[in-house]
Amino acid sequence: MSTPTPPGTNAVGVPGPLVAADWVAGRLGQEGLVLFDASVGARRGGAPHIPGARPFDLDGDLSDHTSAVPHTMPGAEDLTEALRSLGVHDTDTVVVYDAQGVYSSARAWWMLRAMGFDRAAVLDGGLPAWTEAGHPVDDGPAAYDGPRGTFTARPRPGLIVDADTVAAALADPGAAVLDARTRERYAGTAPEPRPGLRGGHMPGSVSLPFGELQRDGGQMLPPDELRTVLKEAAGDRERLYFSCGSGVTACVLALGAALAGYDRLAVYDGSWSEWGLPSERPVATGEGDSP
């Protein structure tokens, strides 16, 4: 007599942190594969969405709204509850995408990684790549009303870091702090989209807009090209810290670095939404250490 398969038993394995649209299409609906739409802003909620996708709401339950800055990482207990309510099991495989290409999906991937969940990947090119390949979409928002999952967050220290850790990294000759915002925001010549923030950048940080790690259309560069771009920005430094506006596109840099073979990586959760607030933390303007 065969042994019944426990609910949530993983039947899918991802080949790495990035998967193609055709890879997902060939496994859509397979037991153990959870697909998340992590779109933000005007595309929050995922309409239209890939069939079966569930909402990974970074503007809602998947951020800590008790924080003074947006998109703050929830605590382990809150993240566990949110993902269990979305039916995620510890044994599942997760693929995350967004409506802009590779943008907010990388944040969801990094959050899972920081909470000890490694069977997760980003859909390369997101929803645009999916539709360009001719795969179907469903109208209406992504939703989930099925049974609860068994996911348990197991935080890994050091993957999500605070301002004091980044300040120490800026003074560390073996570390590089890379800023994923536009070069104009880094230089302080373009206004910040969030009111009340100072313009400019952390002294000693390096400008590396996240789009420079992508092809036109929002797909990630090949690993060798990613390594070249990152090495140009970071030099020989292998310990990399990533910042942006609110900790979202910093994770695109983290994804690119992981694909390029770097493994000593951290994301500054507060990013410029915290550092740029009026305070004694130093701010520089101009091109600075832009490569």
Side-chain angles (χ1 to χ4, degrees):
M1 180 181 295
S2 61
T3 302
T5 302
T9 295
N10 179 53
V12 183
V14 289
L18 194 69
V19 293
D22 287 346
W23 186 95
V24 176
R27 294 159 178 81
L28 201 63
Q30 190 169 338
E31 177 70 22
L33 178 67
V34 174
L35 193 61
F36 275 125
D37 188 313
S39 302
V40 294
R43 297 301 299 273
R44 177 187 179 191
H49 63 274
I50 297 175
R54 309 172 193 182
F56 196 104
D57 191 0
L58 290 166
D59 290 327
D61 291 344
L62 273 303
S63 290
D64 179 5
H65 294 280
T66 67
S67 171
V69 295
H71 300 136
T72 298
M73 181 79 171
E77 185 176 337
D78 289 339
L79 189 67
T80 293
E81 172 57 28
L83 291 181
R84 285 184 179 181
S85 72
L86 289 164
V88 180
H89 297 281
D90 283 325
T91 51
D92 283 336
T93 292
V94 171
V95 174
V96 191
Y97 73 92
D98 65 70
Q100 293 178 255
V102 176
Y103 182 75
S104 48
S105 52
R107 170 69 180 186
W109 165 79
W110 188 256
M111 288 170 63
L112 290 168
R113 184 169 179 163
M115 286 294 179
F117 189 88
D118 288 328
R119 258 188 327 277
V122 172
L123 172 57
D124 195 15
L127 187 62
W130 178 267
T131 55
E132 179 67 22
H135 300 307
V137 296
D138 285 347
D139 294 328
Y144 179 74
D145 58 2
R148 287 173 59 83
T150 60
F151 175 89
T152 299
R154 298 172 176 85
R156 288 188 174 116
L159 273 69
I160 298 284
V161 297
D162 61 13
D164 288 342
T165 302
V166 173
L170 289 165
D172 182 352
V177 178
L178 305 181
D179 189 325
R181 297 175 300 155
T182 65
R183 296 198 188 280
E184 292 77 15
R185 287 173 64 189
Y186 174 89
T189 58
E192 285 297 311
R194 297 176 181 86
L197 297 181
R198 298 172 289 172
H201 59 270
M202 294 174 272
S205 65
V206 180
S207 176
L208 182 58
F210 75 93
E212 295 186 11
L213 272 60
Q214 300 178 342
R215 306 181 182 120
D216 291 342
Q219 292 177 300
M220 300 297 290
L221 295 172
D224 58 340
E225 294 183 33
L226 288 168
R227 185 80 190 192
T228 297
V229 173
L230 286 157
K231 187 172 179 60
E232 181 180 349
D236 293 330
R237 293 171 287 184
E238 295 280 328
R239 189 162 58 255
L240 306 182
Y241 294 78
F242 307 107
S243 181
C244 60
S246 65
V248 173
T249 58
C251 299
V252 179
L253 298 189
L255 174 62
L259 292 166
Y262 290 88
D263 58 8
R264 302 171 70 186
L265 313 175
V267 168
Y268 174 22
D269 205 26
S271 284
W272 198 252
S273 292
E274 179 181 46
W275 193 284
L277 289 169
S279 75
E280 294 182 356
R281 296 201 181 276
V283 169
T285 57
E287 294 184 0
D289 292 316
S290 176

